[in-house]
Amino acid sequence: MITFYDLAAKDGIQTWSPNPWKTRYVLNYKKLPYKTVRLEYPDIESEYKKLGIPPSGINFDGTSLYTSPSIIDEATKTPVTDSYKIAEYLDKAYPNTPPVFPPGTEVFQAAFYDQVNELIGPLWPLLLPRIPRNLLNPPSAEYFTRTRSVLFGMPLSHAEPQGEKKIEAWQRVQVVFEIINGWLSKSSGPYFMGDTVTFSDFVIAALLDGIRICFGEESKEWKNVQTWNDGRWKTFLTSLEKYANVEN
């Protein structure tokens, strides 16, 4: 059994953040049994320290950074944090399950992951200010607003572009998906490795899920994203729905 540490949210909202989405896709794809524990942002550090889950990095002030997703493999009592590292661990720990890093794809997928993380920067000013008011319970909303305001160097509510700047910001995000579409168009199949699903596919699916949930299924923003690249992203996400179970 895997214990999967996800982020808490308002009633009716399960996984919402792109990072835990990646791990949930991997667990479902591998058909590994798991249970989800949802934590409020202010509780993550103390809970992880108690459980022996390591930090995933360093904050700007030099303190340790504790983030979701993280897992504990109860069979081996192994704690792992960071969606990429979790996927690598699960491939090695459970070699009889479908790999998300098929042999020979590791370098490609590492480069892909880094490049996507750099490219997608224009999305965050549009997405992040909406998260506290749309998705989070009060303790997490306060924490998220305070910490992300430091990240932006201004109140989080001021980071969201308005008017023409908002239109331009969405145009920049669309350009990012044009680039990703260009890569995917070179594949012989619907996924980045042809007909084989890999971690790279879950990275993009998780990003799309984050947009969908944050803005809402019926929002004009999400409806617009689904039209980009001749509807490719709607089709892409639909094809991976069977790995998107959130009931555990």
Side-chain angles (χ1 to χ4, degrees):
M1 174 68 74
I2 305 291
T3 303
F4 167 39
Y5 294 89
D6 200 345
L7 296 167
K10 292 179 179 179
D11 287 348
I13 300 171
Q14 305 291 346
T15 300
W16 61 268
S17 172
N19 287 321
W21 260 118
K22 297 167 199 170
T23 297
R24 189 173 294 278
Y25 272 116
V26 171
L27 288 167
N28 291 333
Y29 180 66
K30 289 178 170 293
K31 298 182 179 179
L32 292 170
Y34 68 95
K35 63 179 180 180
T36 302
V37 176
R38 293 179 172 85
L39 298 173
E40 299 288 353
Y41 271 104
D43 300 332
I44 291 175
E45 181 173 348
S46 60
E47 188 67 15
Y48 281 13
K49 285 180 176 178
K50 182 172 69 176
L51 294 167
I53 298 174
S56 60
I58 302 295
N59 284 304
F60 290 113
D61 62 1
T63 59
S64 296
L65 176 65
Y66 293 86
T67 57
S68 173
S70 294
I71 66 165
I72 294 178
D73 184 347
E74 303 294 349
T76 60
K77 304 301 180 186
T78 302
V80 189
T81 195
D82 181 82
S83 58
Y84 195 96
K85 292 177 181 177
I86 291 170
E88 288 185 313
Y89 168 81
L90 293 174
D91 263 9
K92 293 175 182 176
Y94 297 94
N96 294 326
T97 63
V100 293
F101 295 104
T105 72
E106 298 91 345
V107 173
F108 157 76
Q109 294 201 72
F112 177 94
Y113 191 68
D114 288 345
Q115 187 68 17
V116 168
N117 283 337
E118 287 187 22
L119 280 174
I120 205 60
L123 175 65
W124 303 135
L126 292 162
L127 191 71
L128 296 187
R130 290 175 172 263
I131 288 173
R133 64 179 183 261
N134 290 0
L135 304 176
L136 301 181
N137 297 315
S140 287
E142 187 281 329
Y143 177 94
F144 191 94
T145 300
R146 173 167 45 84
T147 56
R148 274 52 179 185
S149 294
V150 172
L151 184 64
F152 279 105
M154 66 178 76
L156 184 59
S157 59
H158 294 179
E160 186 175 6
Q162 303 295 328
E164 285 297 318
K165 289 184 178 180
K166 183 176 181 179
I167 294 171
E168 292 169 0
W170 274 110
Q171 288 172 341
R172 289 194 290 273
V173 175
Q174 186 171 1
V175 168
V176 170
F177 278 91
E178 292 280 357
I179 293 170
I180 298 170
N181 179 62
W183 299 339
L184 189 52
S185 296
K186 296 181 184 299
S187 174
S188 60
Y191 306 115
F192 288 98
M193 299 302 298
D195 293 321
T196 302
V197 176
T198 66
F199 186 70
S200 294
D201 300 298
F202 294 143
V203 169
I204 301 305
L207 187 60
L208 292 165
D209 280 314
I211 297 171
R212 174 180 61 85
I213 295 169
C214 182
F215 286 94
E217 292 275 3
E218 300 303 317
S219 67
K220 63 180 181 181
E221 290 90 352
W222 175 238
K223 288 180 179 179
N224 191 36
V225 169
Q226 292 180 85
T227 69
W228 292 349
N229 307 116
D230 298 320
R232 161 159 265 170
W233 305 115
K234 179 180 180 179
T235 302
F236 183 83
L237 198 57
T238 299
S239 75
L240 296 172
E241 276 184 352
K242 55 182 170 290
Y243 310 122
N245 175 50
V246 295
E247 299 305 317
N248 292 19

